[in-house]
Amino acid sequence: MRIAVFGNYGVMNLGDDLILSGIVKTLEAQGHTPIVFSGNPDQVRRQFGLESRHLFPAGIRSILRYLFSAPYRDKIRGSYEALRSSDAVWFGGGGLFVDSNPKAMMIWWRQWQAVKKAKKPYHIVANSFELRSLWWRRILKPWFQQAQSISVRDRASKAI
């Protein structure tokens, strides 16, 4: 199976890169092929030797870039094709869901929307949740409920 792995990889964050290494070892041991979706796919390819694609545009800057840059638009189309060709999705890595960082919340919410549109089953792996806002908890509740599985890194995240 081809497994799309979404996370904050390739940005020289040791914790996230170690989580990616563990995910890749787990997937490959099970006979699966990972496809990594990150903000810096070139670095992921260099660092891990894995197929890697761009995250989907989530903010004003990346949406404008998508509208006005044909090469970037082609890369995002490649991301959609890679997602459609995958069998399942893992959202892996540290604190993807930290509501004190609204920009990050929008990025990961947008990735989930793409996965949802592609109708792919997904797992949330090795995450920590810092959701102090009731508003964000309500927005993310369906995301968590529709996940095939969720694994967390700490007790506070387990409570959420």
Side-chain angles (χ1 to χ4, degrees):
M1 289 177 52
R2 289 172 49 95
I3 309 295
V5 180
F6 284 77
N8 193 30
Y9 311 121
V11 295
M12 307 310 284
N13 179 308
L14 181 60
D16 286 328
D17 289 346
L18 288 171
I19 289 170
L20 177 59
S21 293
I23 287 172
V24 167
K25 285 179 186 176
T26 300
L27 292 174
E28 289 178 341
Q30 296 173 358
H32 303 306
T33 303
I35 307 161
V36 179
F37 287 74
S38 77
N40 191 346
D42 293 334
Q43 179 61 31
V44 170
R45 280 187 218 100
R46 280 191 301 274
Q47 189 174 350
F48 296 97
L50 297 169
E51 179 181 350
S52 186
R53 301 293 179 157
H54 281 274
L55 294 172
F56 300 104
I60 298 294
R61 192 171 41 156
S62 61
I63 291 170
L64 288 173
R65 185 175 175 201
Y66 179 82
L67 292 173
F68 296 108
S69 170
Y72 181 69
R73 199 167 33 253
D74 289 341
K75 290 177 182 180
I76 298 303
R77 286 182 184 138
S79 295
Y80 280 110
E81 289 171 18
L83 177 59
R84 283 191 296 271
S85 75
S86 68
D87 299 296
V89 174
W90 285 24
F91 285 95
L96 300 183
F97 311 98
V98 178
D99 63 6
S100 62
N101 185 345
K103 180 180 174 184
M105 294 297 287
M106 292 305 297
I107 289 169
W108 299 114
W109 181 80
R110 174 64 184 100
Q111 306 318 300
W112 175 58
Q113 290 296 308
V115 169
K116 185 177 171 184
K117 184 177 179 182
K119 298 180 180 171
K120 299 297 176 181
Y122 60 91
H123 304 261
I124 301 171
V125 183
N127 267 277
S128 59
F129 307 130
E130 294 177 25
L131 301 173
R132 293 176 181 91
S133 162
L134 183 59
W135 185 77
W136 271 113
R137 285 182 185 219
R138 285 187 178 159
I139 287 175
L140 295 177
K141 185 176 182 178
W143 184 354
F144 296 152
Q145 289 175 332
Q146 294 168 17
Q148 301 293 305
S149 66
I150 299 174
S151 66
V152 295
R153 302 184 318 169
D154 55 68
R155 286 189 179 145
S157 297
K158 186 176 180 181
I160 291 174

